Amino acid sequence: ATPGDDLSGLKVLQFGVSLRVQQVNGSRSTSLIVRGRLSLGLTVIGVVVPFNLPGVATELVLPEVYVRNQELNSVFSAKTNLTRAFVPRSVTEMNSMLQELDLQSSSILTLDGLIGLIPGLSRSTLQNLPAPFDAVFTLGVTELSFQMSPTYRDIYGANFTLLNSQPFRFGDQLTVPFMGLNVQVAKVNGAYAFSARFKGVAQISRAIVGVDIPYNVPGALTNILLPELEIEGRSLDDIREAVAVPEDRP
């Protein structure tokens, strides 16, 4: 492939190959890594593909998405807790956050776009999902990497993050404006171990709550978070802590 080539809807913008040959215990060992930049519509994707390089992951480097100056891969990571600071305090604030996300939506790689890159598979073969679950095709892929064996015959691990690029609506009373799912897979003693974490913001009528649900994540708890409340620009929690009376005070 050369820059400008069109491969199944992908355009090669840039690529390079690094080759290394060395002697290891009297035998010649060859390894290489391919790096490139591809475009799919308005989405620019970085690609890292190693060969015979243990510890280096095969990775799609996808555009970072920010809301409230927070990078969403970090917000929805299995390693972090959802904070109340991310939960909007009002419908007006939620709509403002949705506008931030919408401005970046054209650069997000969706499952729809990813499926279109797989030979023999198209959206038309998967169109039988009922509403609102057919909206799964609008989920954005913001993180995707695989840890492969040097021969590419085995997968040692994987990590991916999905987020919704537009609100999910379930009837008139329930809307999920933000949600993210991070899944991690690791091979341990010959068996695969899975961990996942679902985080999101739900609007029930006009009430807004945050949800944090881990699966097989040590030390993580399921949490329901309410928005932070402020009085004259100060968090109500901070005010309560400042005026709290010590328990041992007579």
Side-chain angles (χ1 to χ4, degrees), residues 108-132:
I108 297 174
L109 177 64
T110 63
L111 281 179
D112 199 6
L114 191 60
I115 288 170
L117 301 177
I118 303 174
L121 187 63
S122 66
R123 168 76 178 271
S124 61
T125 63
L126 301 170
Q127 280 184 334
N128 296 323
L129 290 175

Side-chain angles (χ1 to χ4, degrees), residues 83-242:
T83 65
R84 292 176 63 188
F86 188 79
V87 181
R89 290 164 293 185
S90 65
V91 173
T92 299
E93 190 171 319
M94 182 184 73
N95 289 336
S96 176
M97 293 170 66
L98 284 171
Q99 288 177 359
E100 284 188 64
L101 180 62
D102 187 59
L103 290 173
Q104 302 168 81
S105 61
S106 61
S107 66
I108 297 174
L109 177 64
T110 63
L111 281 179
D112 199 6
L114 191 60
I115 288 170
L117 301 177
I118 303 174
L121 187 63
S122 66
R123 168 76 178 271
S124 61
T125 63
L126 301 170
Q127 280 184 334
N128 296 323
L129 290 175
F133 300 103
D134 58 345
V136 69
F137 296 107
T138 67
L139 287 173
V141 184
T142 58
E143 192 173 23
L144 181 61
S145 64
F146 297 91
Q147 191 76 45
M148 308 292 295
S149 67
T151 60
Y152 269 74
R153 294 180 179 177
D154 197 7
I155 298 177
Y156 291 159
N159 177 50
F160 68 87
T161 301
L162 302 175
L163 60 85
N164 59 330
S165 57
Q166 63 185 44
F168 281 12
R169 291 183 169 84
F170 300 84
D172 296 330
Q173 298 298 314
L174 176 60
T175 300
V176 181
F178 297 99
M179 63 167 241
L181 174 67
N182 177 245
V183 177
Q184 298 184 9
V185 183
K187 197 169 188 178
V188 180
N189 298 325
Y192 288 109
F194 294 83
S195 61
R197 197 157 187 171
F198 172 87
K199 303 176 190 176
V201 173
Q203 179 188 353
I204 306 171
S205 186
R206 294 189 65 83
I208 300 173
V209 297
V211 180
D212 188 344
I213 306 174
Y215 169 75
N216 200 25
V217 180
L221 301 175
T222 296
N223 279 309
I224 305 296
L225 297 95
L226 300 175
E228 285 188 325
L229 299 178
E230 291 186 353
I231 297 177
E232 295 183 352
R234 292 186 62 190
S235 166
L236 186 58
D237 288 341
D238 293 341
I239 295 173
R240 289 171 59 189
E241 290 179 4

